[in-house]
Amino acid sequence: QVQLVESGGGLVQAGGSLRLSCAASGRTFSSYSMGWFRQAPGKEREFVAGVTWTGARTTYADSVKGRFTISRDNDKNTVYLQMNSLNPDDTAVYYCKPIYYSDSDSRPIGGYWGQGTQVTVSS
């Protein structure tokens, strides 16, 4: 089983940028497609971005397309989420997780969620 630790969150002004990291343990990390999800207060958790196990294909929620970039480094067992042009609607706890990759409907694998990392965007 892959264990995940998210980091890189913080407080940023609208228009700013953050880079989130997700460090994974376990030798099977490189065989999983990976995704980022987020949950804002009072809202359901939602998909943000996904990347295949090779890193060759990516998919994004419409709300972040053109602003966020997901990438991975399998040598470092790490997945990244570069977030630019942040706005207050991006305020949420962000989680990474293995996914069943689909260009239109990526789904999380398993019920375990890590601690996540808090992103707060001030207006």
Side-chain angles (χ1 to χ4, degrees):
Q1 183 174 346
V2 177
Q3 302 294 319
L4 304 163
V5 178
E6 302 94 342
S7 63
L11 174 63
V12 64
Q13 289 188 328
S17 298
L18 283 173
R19 188 193 196 202
L20 306 183
S21 298
C22 171
S25 61
R27 283 182 265 178
T28 59
F29 168 79
S30 62
S31 64
Y32 286 103
S33 295
M34 294 294 296
W36 284 95
F37 298 78
R38 66 186 182 186
Q39 187 167 22
K43 295 186 177 181
E44 292 188 355
R45 190 175 284 137
E46 64 176 357
F47 173 79
V48 175
V51 60
T52 54
W53 69 274
T54 63
R57 297 180 67 174
T58 57
T59 184
Y60 298 90
D62 287 344
S63 59
V64 307
K65 204 170 292 183
R67 300 187 298 122
F68 290 12
T69 303
I70 188 171
S71 62
R72 67 190 296 162
D73 185 336
N74 287 341
D75 290 335
K76 296 182 179 179
N77 276 12
T78 303
V79 180
Y80 303 98
L81 186 67
Q82 177 66 44
M83 306 186 296
N84 299 327
S85 302
L86 286 160
N87 61 65
D89 289 339
D90 297 316
T91 295
V93 179
Y94 284 71
Y95 304 87
C96 68
K97 193 157 174 63
I99 59 171
Y100 296 111
Y101 181 90
S102 166
D103 286 338
S104 59
D105 188 24
S106 293
R107 301 292 183 94
I109 297 174
Y112 168 79
W113 293 88
Q115 296 281 345
T117 186
Q118 175 71 49
V119 172
T120 303
V121 185
S122 63
S123 57

